[in-house]
Amino acid sequence: MTGEWQMWMTMAIIGIMIVLYSLDRFSMEMVSASAVIMLLVFFHFFPVEDDMGRNVLNSGTLLSGFASPALFAIMGLLIIGQGMFQSGALEFPTRMLVDAYEKHSFLALAAVFIFVVVISAFLNNTPVVVMFIPIMAAIAAQSKVAPSRLMIPLSFMSIFGGMLTVIGSSTNLLAVEAFANVTGERIDFFALFPIGIVLTIIGGTYLLLASRWLLPDRTAQNVRGGESDGKQFIAQIEINRGHPLIGRGAVAGMFPDLPDVTVRMVQRREEAMLPPYDDFVFRLHDTVIIAATRKALTNLLRSKPDILAGVMSEIDIQEDNNTGGELTMVEAIVAPGSRMIGRTIAQIGFRYQTNCVILGIQRRSRMIRSQMHSIRLEAGDVLLLLGDIKDVRALRTDKDIVLLEWSMTGLPEPGNARKAAMIFALVVGTAAFGIFPIAISAFLGATLMVAAGCLNVRQASRAIDRRIFLLIGSALAMGISLEMTGGAAMIGGWLVSMAQVGGPILLISLFFILSAALTNVLSNNATAVLFTPIAVNAAIAAEIDPLILLLTVIFGANCSFATPVAYQTNLLVMAPGHYKFRDFLAIGIPLILILWVVYTIVAPIYFRMTGLL
């Protein structure tokens, strides 16, 4: 079929790419594109022909990875994960876990990590870690523990969760797709779970025991937020018919339905009711004046949007053919010489002029106890504004206020969390029960996320990482080239000959540690794609079921613990955890070695039980 020199040239190109990836001197996109171009040009001039004289490594074959069902599944799952994050679908359970930490700190922290594992088994790990980084930071601050003790375990536990199902990580999907291309076989949705849960328990126990000694106690010097983090805004809640606060009262002077919020005054008809609020119950038509930080108001909007339903109903979320609307919060300062100075909010008609509402007012000079519509604005007042992102951006040209663009934050629209959770359940259900292939389920879920308004097109496109797209496409091209030129069979034969003394068990052990080593200098996706055809050829030569070595490659390629560049979630936790490169080496290398030993012991037992070995 081909000359041996073409195989060696293919292996040389792959070796060069591995070195370039690991050096990190060039962008991942540039290295990936260069790999594809080198293979395209080389096999154009020096084709690999079959017995019929046809070129089996033409441009269509090499570029087929960019249209791979696995790649579409990964992109779809990234969009679904972004939809879950953007809609706030995980806000309620995560808030419950944080609240429980005050009563049972150890159990709550364990529950947080278990929750991360469970969610990561069905969602891409990146949005899960993004969601939990501020939660871990809050727990660290509350318990006076350095964030460096929690952030690496967060990343690693999300990686463990990705080992439990076929859709748990892009690594799994790509390996399964490469396996199907070589053997024509598909594996079950939960095929990874029995061994994956053992590795997760062992890895979690190691992190619990060893993180105290191997992770640094490093508290950042500049962790505190800006001055605006703790400032109080005055806001107003109108209790109309059907409002959830009707009949709800105070407990020991505090209002459990208004967490982290101070009730300054309740206006009931002509009577202004001031603290303390003992034996107090809200009634219809009450006007509640509250003081809260921006964070508290944001949490209230996300977790209990019905409480601020009166404000929300005044906002017109715009949609056009290309992008859906996005609810946005921003701070603005009343400018010196502004026409707003000396006038009340009711007089300036801010809502009708801008399509944005004033959610809160902050004034440093004194504490305000009056209804918002009667407050006369002063120069320097900080307004907390809420509106559609297009309307908020239009405020840049308003001469009466100074927009603080750094404070602009998107908020999930109330009601989207439920829709996102239902779509997520639909995707997992159709994939788990084999109703649709994973690629169709993921693509369907991504489309529904946009159609249901949980994401707009712009947000969905942001979820697709071009680095992942190019890396996966180039890795698939390299894997196809290695397979078609005979390189995979040759490397597999080498490994089989090395393992002849120890038999299949040594072969399994070798594949695991080689995959784990390469994934920390290359990438888990590229490692899975390159090693899968090698594993299939090695299994055939060793006369064992190819599924054994496929699972071995998947678990080994997921062991991206030793370097921060090995996986995206490691990079995400570096800054909030204030880590250095050596911190990952210190805790990651022993973890990989422990998992290698455990897998070498557990996997042969499991494969014999299932009749594969």
Side-chain angles (χ1 to χ4, degrees), residues 90-91 93-95 97-98 112 130-141 150-151:
L90 297 176
E91 283 286 334
T94 53
R95 191 166 304 285
L97 292 171
V98 173
V112 168
V130 168
M131 170 71 74
F132 275 87
I133 282 175
I135 294 171
M136 286 301 179
I139 289 176
L150 299 177
M151 293 300 174

Side-chain angles (χ1 to χ4, degrees), residues 117-146:
V117 170
V118 172
I119 295 298
S120 296
F122 303 100
L123 276 180
N124 182 272
N125 299 344
T126 303
V128 175
V129 172
V130 168
M131 170 71 74
F132 275 87
I133 282 175
I135 294 171
M136 286 301 179
I139 289 176
Q142 189 171 335
S143 58
K144 295 181 173 57
V145 172

